[in-house]
């Protein structure tokens, strides 16, 4: 989830090449030059990406001129903004916002993060039936003894899929590609992974195919975030994990219905 702050700025700040905005979140501050911000409807947009478990954490934004003089401090959280949105939202928007907050609350429990202030406080969401296990699809013969080890999800401001490969002979002169984009594999714990990032909630059932090639032979693995959700939900013994996956699936259904309206 990304919370966008829309700021009207005085001409003196816009014309100050050294002016910047400071975004502070979870104890960390990031400076962004005014000149690099996007403009929408006459406002400068300051994006603040938030992981699912961080929806109740306040985000502060402050503009500084080139001399370091700070202006008004603005503060907001995803949860607080969502609660205001619910006051005037239509049914499908409300369903999406509630599913998002429910996902946030379940993620807080799973990650044991700021559980005293839950995003889903006062929110009720009906659970949707999760499909049977969806397995990855694998095509072709192994290249350089590289085989698919497994996949996992990474929860940031948007979901990411990590495809893990076992490569006993290394990955030198081997390409990893999704569509037309090539990925540089990252080594971790004796395995190599490529990460497909920024998967929006309504795209969790979209399939991504990683092609492993040595230039002559190729090996393909097709996987979606839904493969992970169904597999782990149906096989895990962790109630907290099952709850966060259920909430994630509810969020997916609400997002698909919202986009379709």
């Amino acid at each position: 989830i990304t919370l966008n702050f829309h700021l009207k700025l005085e001409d003196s700040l816009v014309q100050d090449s050294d002016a910047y905005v400071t975004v502070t979140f979870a104890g960390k501050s990031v400076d962004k030059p005014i000149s690099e911000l996007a403009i929408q409807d006459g406002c400068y947009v300051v994006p603040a990406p938030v992981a699912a478990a961080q929806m109740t954490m306040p985000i502060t934004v402050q503009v500084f001129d080139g001399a370091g003089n700070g202006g008004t401090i603005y503060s907001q959280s995803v949860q607080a903004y969502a609660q205001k949105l619910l006051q005037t939202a239509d049914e499908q928007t409300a369903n999406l916002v509630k599913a998002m907050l429910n996902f946030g609350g379940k993620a807080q429990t799973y990650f044991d993060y700021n559980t005293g202030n839950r995003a889903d406080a006062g929110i009720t969401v009906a659970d949707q039936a999760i499909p049977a296990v969806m397995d990855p699809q694998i095509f072709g013969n192994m290249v350089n003894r590289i085989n698919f080890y497994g996949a996992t999800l990474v929860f940031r401001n948007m979901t990411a899929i990590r495809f893990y490969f076992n490569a006993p002979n290394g990955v030198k002169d081997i390409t990893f590609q999704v569509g037309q984009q090539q990925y540089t594999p990252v080594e971790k714990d004796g395995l190599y992974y490529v990460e497909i990032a920024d998967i929006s909630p309504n795209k969790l059932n979209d399939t991504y195919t990683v092609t492993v090639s040595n230039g002559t032979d190729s090996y393909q693995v097709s996987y979606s975030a839904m493969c992970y959700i169904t597999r782990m939900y149906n096989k895990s013994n962790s109630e907290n994990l099952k709850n966060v996956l259920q909430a994630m699936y509810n969020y997916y259904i609400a997002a698909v219905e919202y986009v379709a309206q």
Side-chain angles (χ1 to χ4, degrees):
I1 296 91
T2 297
L3 185 64
N4 291 317
F5 289 76
H6 294 250
L7 304 179
K8 288 277 191 180
L9 300 179
E10 297 177 358
D11 290 342
S12 59
L13 285 170
V14 174
Q15 296 166 7
D16 187 341
S17 60
D18 294 322
Y20 61 95
V21 60
T22 297
V23 180
T24 302
F25 177 66
K28 297 180 180 179
S29 295
V30 176
D31 296 336
K32 301 175 182 289
I34 297 296
S35 58
E36 295 182 5
L37 297 178
I39 302 175
Q40 181 179 336
D41 298 328
C43 292
Y44 286 78
V45 182
V46 184
V50 175
Q54 298 174 318
M55 293 185 197
T56 60
M57 300 295 289
I59 305 164
T60 62
V61 169
Q62 186 176 19
V63 179
F64 292 83
D65 62 22
N69 300 309
T72 303
I73 298 175
Y74 302 97
S75 181
Q76 185 66 284
S77 70
V78 171
Q79 181 202 36
Y81 175 77
Q83 291 290 354
K84 290 181 181 179
L85 190 59
L86 285 174
Q87 295 174 12
T88 57
D90 59 38
E91 182 179 359
Q92 286 184 309
T93 301
N95 289 341
L96 177 64
V97 172
K98 289 177 181 178
M100 179 190 73
L101 292 174
N102 181 58
F103 175 41
K106 299 304 185 291
Q108 285 176 262
T109 298
Y110 178 69
F111 291 107
D112 193 23
Y113 185 87
N114 193 31
T115 54
N117 182 18
R118 292 176 57 92
D120 59 347
I123 296 294
T124 301
V125 174
D127 287 339
Q128 304 292 322
I130 292 181
V133 174
M134 300 167 59
D135 291 320
Q137 301 296 309
I138 300 174
F139 309 93
N141 298 316
M142 286 189 296
V143 174
N144 200 31
R145 295 182 61 196
I146 296 173
N147 70 300
F148 179 60
Y149 181 84
T152 190
L153 300 187
V154 180
F155 301 107
R156 291 194 288 263
N157 58 310
M158 284 195 188
T159 304
I161 304 174
R162 283 184 180 175
F163 290 73
Y164 281 90
F165 295 88
N166 185 12
N169 295 333
V171 295
K172 183 179 180 181
D173 299 324
I174 303 296
T175 61
F176 292 76
Q177 190 166 322
V178 178
Q180 299 301 312
Q181 183 175 352
Q182 288 196 10
Y183 288 78
T184 300
V186 177
E187 186 174 6
K188 181 181 180 182
D189 300 330
L191 301 171
Y192 292 85
Y193 73 81
V194 296
E195 182 175 297
I196 314 302
D198 296 339
I199 302 172
S200 57
N202 62 307
K203 301 291 186 181
L204 296 181
N205 201 33
D206 286 14
T207 298
Y208 299 87
T209 299
V210 177
T211 300
V212 182
S213 175
N214 61 7
T216 303
D217 300 315
S218 64
Y219 169 71
Q220 294 182 318
V221 178
S222 294
Y223 200 86
S224 68
M226 198 61 65
C227 289
Y228 179 89
I229 291 170
T230 60
R231 192 174 190 84
M232 295 304 297
Y233 181 84
N234 286 287
K235 295 190 175 184
S236 176
N237 292 321
S238 168
E239 197 63 29
N240 286 340
L241 177 58
K242 290 170 75 75
N243 286 340
V244 76
L245 292 173
Q246 176 68 71
M248 193 175 191
Y249 185 74
N250 296 340
Y251 187 25
Y252 159 73
I253 294 296
V256 169
E257 292 176 351
Y258 177 81
V259 171
Q261 70 176 336

